[in-house]
Amino acid sequence: MPSGSRCPDCGSSELVEDSHYSQSQLVCSDCGCVVTEGVLTTTFNDEGNLREVTYSRSTGENEQVSRSQQRDLRRVRDLCRILKLPTTFEDTAISYYQRAYQLSGIRAARLQKKEVLVGCCVLITCRQHNWPLTMGTICTLLYADLDVFSGTYMQLVKLLGLDVPALCLADLVKSYCSSFALFQASPSIPVKYVEDKDKMLSRTLLLVELANETWLVTGRHPLPVITAATFLAWQSLLPSDRLTCSLAQFCKLANVDLPYPAASRLQELLAVLLRMASQLAWLRVLKLDKRTVVKHIGDLLQHRHMLVRMAFRDDGTAQVETQKQQKGEQRQQEEAEGSTFALPERKRPASPAPLLPPCMLKPPKRSHPTPSISTVTGDENISDSEIEQYLRTPQEIRDFQRAQAASQAAMSDSNPP
């Protein structure tokens, strides 16, 4: 009991502490008045003087956490536990959420953006610790829109000034391929479709590296490219039984969703493999197409660095090559003119295609607006400044000045002062 305290009703100093359920209160033993009833939070000074304090003026005001913030903090913890992340990841994600919640741009955002903020904090934490996790996985868990999630993610990284490294492509391939249901025999999967996980993963990594070297990954979502590469790797390991299986059937067997652009990425990968196959003599005579080239993916990947250099040319060396070709042609012409026997001209082999991104090889067609058709009738009003441009001779100028003076005189007569 604080020293010098008295009951506000009877003035007695006999105040005792009485525990009422879980709340301890000071009660006057003479009159039974409850002195500290209803006091939620007090400061040390007010506790000494036994004065009640409103919550807005108390020490608990700074520790106030809204219900929405409490709910989102629980969602951060639940999401980390569902993904089986370490405890340090959970603490880091919570700290990022608390920092983001203090920003005015996030606090005043729509409810849809606040809901995906939980996943953005978890994704940033995983990226910083090089933990393989994709936006699509978190969007599936949160039932969130991918466009809203990506926009909120970029905004949060910019506002907090965080350094988030790019996701390692090899780790993403390993984590994504591990979810495929093709590595264990089951009643729903035929035996000929079951494949060894290590063999399939190693070949998929080589195909994804090939796609990265030929500009098929840059600036694009990686999952469609990985899906197409996994499908080709799976087919090439047993082509006799798997060439009849389509990409959609493969995704259904593997129990994964088929990304929309995966079919386009598959055609681009097959086009690259066909160009590489045209550089090998024992494959050139077979006249391969996009269906039969899958049988020889193992040979193509074994020599992929040399075949890519032979099948494609660099833009930096293109000018040097053209200059060398021009000099060689000039020398051949001079030798032909100087020799007495004219040799038959040989057809120059076609130069390899440039190694450029698909967006530069096949740029999208831009719609040009149709120009508006203006019909001239001759009855349009012409200003005085434009009339002077049409006057050519001195006689036309004098006639125009005379007509202008006459019109001004007529206007002054009709409107007298």
Side-chain angles (χ1 to χ4, degrees):
M1 180 184 69
S3 59
S5 301
R6 292 183 177 276
C7 176
D9 287 352
C10 65
S12 175
S13 60
E14 298 296 330
L15 301 180
V16 295
E17 187 173 352
D18 182 18
S19 297
H20 181 67
Y21 295 102
S22 62
Q23 184 180 6
S24 59
Q25 298 173 340
L26 288 178
V27 182
C28 178
S29 60
D30 291 341
C31 66
C33 176
V34 180
V35 180
T36 58
E37 182 181 9
V39 178
L40 296 178
T41 308
T42 60
T43 61
F44 292 108
N45 188 23
D46 290 329
E47 281 181 355
N49 297 325
L50 292 179
R51 288 183 301 186
E52 297 181 0
V53 183
T54 58
Y55 187 74
S56 60
R57 292 175 49 243
S58 66
T59 55
E61 181 188 9
N62 298 329
E63 301 174 0
Q64 182 180 6
V65 180
S66 62
R67 292 183 180 178
S68 62
Q69 190 176 359
Q70 293 177 3
R71 181 195 61 206
D72 291 340
L73 289 174
R74 286 195 299 268
R75 294 180 67 195
V76 171
R77 295 188 183 94
D78 294 342
L79 186 59
C80 292
R81 290 165 187 170
I82 290 173
L83 297 171
K84 297 181 180 180
L85 302 178
T87 309
T88 55
F89 289 24
E90 181 179 333
D91 298 337
T92 307
I94 289 175
S95 66
Y96 284 155
Y97 178 83
Q98 291 173 345
R99 288 175 55 188
Y101 198 82
Q102 302 300 323
L103 301 174
S104 59
I106 299 296
R107 180 174 288 186
R110 295 177 301 168
L111 181 60
Q112 188 180 12
K113 183 175 287 187
K114 288 182 179 179
E115 289 178 350
V116 301
L117 182 63
V118 173
C120 293
C121 296
V122 176
L123 180 62
I124 290 173
T125 305
C126 292
R127 291 282 177 89
Q128 289 181 336
H129 292 82
N130 199 20
W131 191 277
L133 183 66
T134 62
M135 284 188 184
T137 303
I138 297 185
C139 288
T140 303
L141 293 174
L142 297 178
Y143 300 99
D145 184 33
L146 185 59
D147 295 334
V148 177
F149 188 93
S150 59
T152 308
Y153 173 80
M154 298 302 295
Q155 181 186 7
L156 184 60
V157 171
K158 185 178 180 181
L159 291 176
L160 295 181
L162 300 175
D163 185 15
V164 183
L167 183 63
C168 180
L169 199 58
D171 294 338
L172 180 59
V173 171
K174 293 177 183 177
S175 62
Y176 183 65
C177 291
S178 299
S179 62
F180 283 42
L182 293 173
F183 307 123
Q184 293 180 355
S186 63
S188 60
I189 302 176
V191 180
K192 62 181 180 179
Y193 290 157
V194 179
E195 189 52 65
D196 183 62
K197 181 179 180 181
D198 295 334
K199 291 181 180 179
M200 185 171 169
L201 186 60
S202 61
R203 183 157 292 188
T204 303
L205 282 172
L206 293 177
L207 282 170
V208 172
E209 290 177 2
L210 174 63
N212 191 23
E213 293 172 0
T214 53
W215 294 95
L216 299 183
V217 182
T218 306
R220 291 173 165 180
H221 199 282
L223 289 187
V225 181
I226 296 175
T227 304
T230 308
F231 174 64
L232 290 177
W234 176 76
Q235 277 191 327
S236 64
L237 290 172
L238 194 61
S240 58
D241 296 329
R242 300 172 182 173
L243 281 180
T244 56
C245 184
S246 63
L247 179 60
Q249 293 174 350
F250 168 76
C251 292
K252 188 176 180 179
L253 288 171
N255 196 18
V256 294
D257 295 331
L258 175 61
Y260 169 69
S264 302
R265 303 294 92 83
L266 176 63
Q267 297 301 319
E268 293 171 355
L269 263 175
L270 289 173
V272 171
L273 292 172
L274 279 176
R275 283 193 170 275
M276 294 168 61
S278 64
Q279 304 300 319
L280 292 177
W282 66 87
L283 295 181
R284 195 182 304 143
V285 297
L286 297 178
K287 296 181 180 180
L288 302 176
D289 54 9
K290 290 184 177 181
R291 185 180 181 85
T292 56
V293 75
V294 180
K295 302 178 182 180
H296 308 281
I297 285 180
D299 296 335
L300 297 175
L301 293 177
Q302 187 178 359
H303 310 284
R304 76 176 192 277
H305 296 295
M306 180 191 67
L307 293 177
V308 167
R309 287 196 298 268
M310 294 173 61
F312 301 96
R313 61 184 173 88
D314 246 349
D315 276 348
T317 59
Q319 297 180 356
V320 179
E321 291 179 0
T322 53
Q323 292 177 0
K324 289 181 179 180
Q325 290 177 0
Q326 291 177 358
K327 290 181 180 179
E329 291 176 357
Q330 291 177 0
R331 289 178 183 177
Q332 290 178 1
Q333 289 179 0
E334 292 176 359
E335 291 176 359
E337 292 175 357
S339 61
T340 55
F341 301 99
L343 297 176
E345 295 183 357
R346 293 182 179 180
K347 187 176 181 181
R348 190 178 67 183
S351 59
L355 185 58
L356 295 174
C359 61
M360 297 183 66
L361 293 175
K362 295 180 180 180
K365 295 182 180 180
R366 298 180 179 177
S367 59
H368 297 281
T370 56
S372 59
I373 302 174
S374 59
T375 56
V376 180
T377 60
D379 298 332
E380 292 81 10
N381 295 326
I382 302 177
S383 62
D384 295 344
S385 60
E386 292 180 354
I387 290 177
E388 295 177 357
Q389 296 177 2
Y390 295 99
L391 301 179
R392 293 290 183 267
T393 61
Q395 182 63 33
E396 291 177 351
I397 296 175
R398 287 193 294 270
D399 293 342
F400 173 69
Q401 291 176 350
R402 193 180 302 112
Q404 194 174 13
S407 63
Q408 291 178 357
M411 291 177 62
S412 61
D413 292 341
S414 60
N415 299 321

